[in-house]
Amino acid sequence: MHKYALTAAAILAAAPSTAFATQITGAGSLAGATPLVLPASNTIGAGPQVVAPGVTWTSTQSTSLFGWTGGYATSNAAILPGNPPIIGLNAAYDGAAGYASMWLTFATPTSGVLAELFWTDNEYTAANSASFYIFDSAMNQLEFTPLNHNGGADGVHSSGYYGFERATADITYVYFSNSHIGARNISYIAPGDPNGVPEPGTWAMMLLGFGGIGLAMRGRRPRQVAAIG
């Protein structure tokens, strides 16, 4: 297995650190949140794409969807064309790395994030369970929620609004993993300076952990877009 693919898999497979995040569910459950409005760009690719000042979206999959308004279908939700734009992983899992993922990067960390999530619930194994993660700037896993069976562990099994809120603003990366997971109606706690720039250590981690993902994807033949409605 390619060493960069191993890096990506290790990041997502890491055991969570002691978590103080409050898991929240339901529309409007993140008080004082700012909508993260996706542009209706209808882009297919791995990114990165700028979502808003200081917020970017990236994926490990060349067939992922950004700002998509053409419809999206999973086993627990059918997003009709013309609805608010979505981000869609558009893949079950990455057969080489074991994990497929897309993520949001906040240049200035946030204390909370909420999103309407949907995924395919009939693809659960230890390798390709749909999951929702948050990490700090050093890629320490702060919390995660298994969305389907997660290889044997219980998940939530139904689409809806899921998120995390913390006492301190230390959420830098928000990951959406596997099973054709998609998201829309994303909101977050806006930091004081949305145009902030990551510290040098954050850039180094991004280059190590994410830059390699792009190299690992280079040369692969694009897969068929399977989940477009």
Side-chain angles (χ1 to χ4, degrees), residues 19-194:
F20 298 95
T22 299
Q23 297 191 28
I24 54 179
T25 59
S29 58
L30 185 61
T34 296
L36 193 59
V37 180
L38 294 169
S41 61
N42 288 303
T43 302
I44 301 176
Q49 297 284 342
V50 174
V51 182
V55 185
T56 59
W57 169 90
T58 317
S59 173
T60 62
Q61 306 301 305
S62 62
T63 56
S64 290
L65 310 176
F66 174 78
W68 192 258
T69 62
Y72 196 75
T74 65
S75 64
N76 62 19
I79 306 304
L80 300 177
N83 277 283
I86 72 162
I87 51 175
L89 183 58
N90 208 32
Y93 69 105
D94 189 319
Y99 290 88
S101 59
M102 60 181 178
W103 62 93
L104 297 171
T105 302
F106 292 88
T108 301
T110 177
S111 61
V113 64
L114 180 72
E116 182 186 3
L117 304 180
F118 33 90
W119 60 92
T120 296
D121 198 38
N122 58 4
E123 296 172 336
Y124 47 85
T125 70
N128 63 4
S129 162
S131 298
F132 181 33
Y133 299 79
I134 53 174
F135 295 86
D136 67 14
S137 61
M139 287 305 301
N140 295 310
Q141 182 178 302
L142 302 174
E143 186 63 275
F144 88 104
T145 293
L147 298 172
N148 54 20
H149 286 276
N150 202 38
D154 285 336
V156 297
H157 311 303
S158 60
S159 61
Y161 284 83
Y162 300 96
F164 302 102
E165 189 170 11
R166 290 176 61 82
T168 57
D170 57 359
I171 303 170
T172 299
Y173 306 108
V174 178
Y175 269 72
F176 310 90
S177 179
N178 297 317
S179 293
H180 292 96
I181 190 169
R184 65 177 179 177
N185 294 319
I186 304 166
S187 59
Y188 72 113
I189 301 299
D193 179 10

